[in-house]
Structures are given as C-alpha cells and as structure tokens.
Amino acid sequence: MWICNFIIAASMTMVLPFLSLYISTFGDFSAEYVQRWSGFIFGVTFVTAFFMSPIWGRIGDKYGFKPILIINGLGIASSIFLMGFMHHVHGLFLLRLVMGIVTGFIPTSIALIAKQTPKKEAGETLGTLQMGTVSGTLFGPLIGGVMADSFGFQYTFIITSLSIVLATMVVIFGIVEKSNGLNKVKERPSRKAVIQLILRRRMLVSVMAIAFIVQAGLFSIQPLLSLYVSQLTKADSVAFLSGLAFSATGFGNLLLTRKWGKLGDEIGFDKVLMILLVLSAVLIVPQALVTDLWQLVILRFLFGMAVGGMLPCITAYIRTEAPFELQGEVLGYNQSFRFLGNVVGPVIGGVLSGYIGISSVFYVTGFLFLLAFGVLWWSSKQSEAKIKEIY
C-alpha cells in the first residue's frame, strides 16, 4: 500500500505546480482572472468528494476497501487523461467537478490500513503509510515541473494518468484485504445513528473540525504557489521552481511524519496536534515576507516538518475512538470535513489574492492554524472537566 500511495501522490501532485500556468494557456487573461479560476478549479473537485466520502466509507465497511481503491484509481486516471485535452476553463472546471466522485484513493487506503492495525500502533503505522504519500508528494511536483518544461502540459497529463493506472494494477494484483467478519453483519446502524454517535463525542467533533480548518489553511495557498514563485524569480523554468517549492514541504514531511505519529502513541494525539498547530502557524506567516526564492524554500521545508504529523494524528485519534465496525464510515465523515476545507481554502486564497495580494493568504492561513489550536485546547479542557465530574 505504501508503494501505491507513493505512485498516486506523485501522479496527483505532478500537475499542481503548473495548474495556474496551464489555465494561462487557454487565452489572454488577466492575473486576477487566472488566480480566481485557479482557486475554483483546484477546489471544485472536493465539492463532490465531500458528499461521496462517507458513502465510500460505508460501502468499504460492508464490502471491503479494495474494490473502492480500484474504482477510484481508474476513475482518477481517466479524469486526468482528459484534462490534457481541455482548451477552456469551463471544461477543466467541469472535469475536475466530476473527478471528485472518485477522488479518495489515498483516504481509502488509510481507512484500509487503520482498520487492520492494533490501536496501540495506530499512530506509528499510519505515520509510516503517510511517508509513502509524502514521498510521492515530494517527488511529484519536481517530476511534473521537469516534464511540463520539457514536454508540455498535455503530455504531462497523459503520463500522469498512466502512472495512476500502474498503481491501480498494483492494488489489483498485490493487495490482499484481510476479512474480519464484521463487515458481513446484516444489521448496520443507519447514517443518522452514526452521525449521532459522532456528535455525542465532543473531541471527535473537534478533531474533525480541526481537519477542516487545517485543510482550508493548507489549500488556500496551494493553487497560487506557482504564481508566487514567478514573483520571486525571473528564471524561465517557473514550473520546475514551483515544483521545488512544493517539494520542500514534502522533504520536511518525510523527515518527521513517522516520529510525530509515534509520539502521539506515547503522549496522546491531541497533545501532539496542539504542538503541531502552533508550530505551523509560526512557520507559515514568515513566508509572506520573503524576498527571494531560497527563503521560501527553507520556510516551506520547516513548515513541512510541522504539518506532516497532523493527518496521522487525526486519523489515529479517530481510529481509537470510533467503533471497529464503523471506522470506515466515521473516517469517511472526517474526510468530508477535509474535502470541505479543500473547497473553502482555494476559494479564500483565490479571492484574497485577487483583491489584496498573494502574501495575505499566508497571514490568513496562520490565523486558521491558531484558530484550530484554540478549538482543540478548549475541547480538551471540556473533556477533562467532564471526566473529573464523572469520577
């Protein structure tokens, strides 16, 4: 599964550094127009994904996650292949919208591994799996930037789709999903019952809200990074340099992701999350003040060291709190919150950058991380107070 996540993450991130540049080739557009549509096109995929994620999770709990991985893999590959033949923003927008139906390969793989991992090892195991995603994210932008500069955007989309097909073949022939018997239970709680279960657990709701805030903060700058890089350098290879800026975060992720997960196993995932949220806020704001590309790359690297542990900690916490037979669906709702953040973030970034400038997006992101810290700290205190009342 580590190999599959590496290939999928690398393939998916190949196109991210030059998405805004690709839109610029559709016509003679203003910078504001390109920035706004970059945010819309980047985020619209997650609108349909927001609704589909709990459905995929529920189906996975009942029938297994491997069939979902295969469907998602082939669906993503087809969508990206067709993107290479788009010539206007509306067609690309619609294709990204449809792609959201099958966006979820990596979250589904996380649910698969989480459900088959002992609770006491959840953080470290999920951190190890996350390293596959991070490694792909690390090399994907660099590969995509080189291919875009060398072969053009269309061939990059085609090669990317073929890489995803390869990962899907690995799932078909190389992944064996262990059956635990619980997914064959005929009487399953209704969706309403699952939602009520989530709402009764305050920390579970808070962690999902934090997943939303974190994703909104992360994705607010993602579609605009190539444009920001172009403002910091006069070099011709903007796509490659944008990939370098993307990959710097991945390098930081790769360095500490597994260790953050292991620390969560030892001292508690909520405590590690609070530490990471503060560190991320401190490291994202200075990125608005850089004057040279090398400064941005260093800060993105340090930022990646902090932000890389968030997803394993959030997933592992849900893994320890959710009933075993419902973990896929509960993780699906958490993924919906993340997808919602993926929608809101690029829109916020696109609108802010269009009216105030790209630098303002970093300040807003820092505020969002501090807001998430406040939510988690308050919920933790409330939970501790409730436990004291009981005992």
Side-chain angles (χ1 to χ4, degrees), residues 6 14 34 57 78 94 97 125 143 199 240:
F6 172 84
M14 281 180 189
V34 173
S78 300
L94 181 61
L97 178 67
T125 301
I143 297 171
L199 293 177
F240 170 75

Side-chain angles (χ1 to χ4, degrees), residues 11 15 30 32 97 101 150 155 221 240 273 281 283 296 331 356:
S11 301
V15 302
S30 66
E32 180 181 345
L97 178 67
I101 297 174
S150 303
Y155 285 106
I221 193 62
F240 170 75
L273 265 176
L283 291 168
L296 178 65
L331 285 170
I356 307 177

